[in-house]
Amino acid sequence: MYDPSRAAPCGRTYQFLLRTRRGLPCCREPLDYQTLLDLWAAQAASDGVAVHAYVLMPNHVHLLLTAADRA
């Protein structure tokens, strides 16, 4: 459930690290990586989130994101 008191302030830049369980690969085929990027780009644009950088590794992902200020 969404808890507004725990929400990160908008306008700040955050680094996220997403890891798979037990070191399993997050994508099986090269096309899977592109599909993942396309989905994230569409969602980021929809939510007003700027993606500054990303690193896709076999079992983890780094993201550098900034959420737009709510007006």
Side-chain angles (χ1 to χ4, degrees), residues 19-29 32-33 57-60:
R19 285 192 275 200
T20 62
R21 293 181 69 186
R22 297 186 307 244
L24 297 172
C26 56
C27 296
R28 294 177 187 215
E29 303 291 332
D32 295 343
Y33 287 102
M57 302 298 287
N59 67 345
H60 68 282

Side-chain angles (χ1 to χ4, degrees), residues 15-69:
Q15 189 243 346
F16 292 90
L17 170 63
L18 308 167
R19 285 192 275 200
T20 62
R21 293 181 69 186
R22 297 186 307 244
L24 297 172
C26 56
C27 296
R28 294 177 187 215
E29 303 291 332
L31 183 59
D32 295 343
Y33 287 102
Q34 188 59 54
T35 301
L36 188 60
L37 289 174
D38 292 343
L39 289 170
W40 279 343
Q43 191 64 51
S46 173
D47 292 340
V49 174
V51 180
H52 303 292
Y54 61 87
V55 178
L56 300 175
M57 302 298 287
N59 67 345
H60 68 282
V61 177
H62 296 270
L63 298 166
L64 191 61
L65 310 172
T66 302
D69 284 325

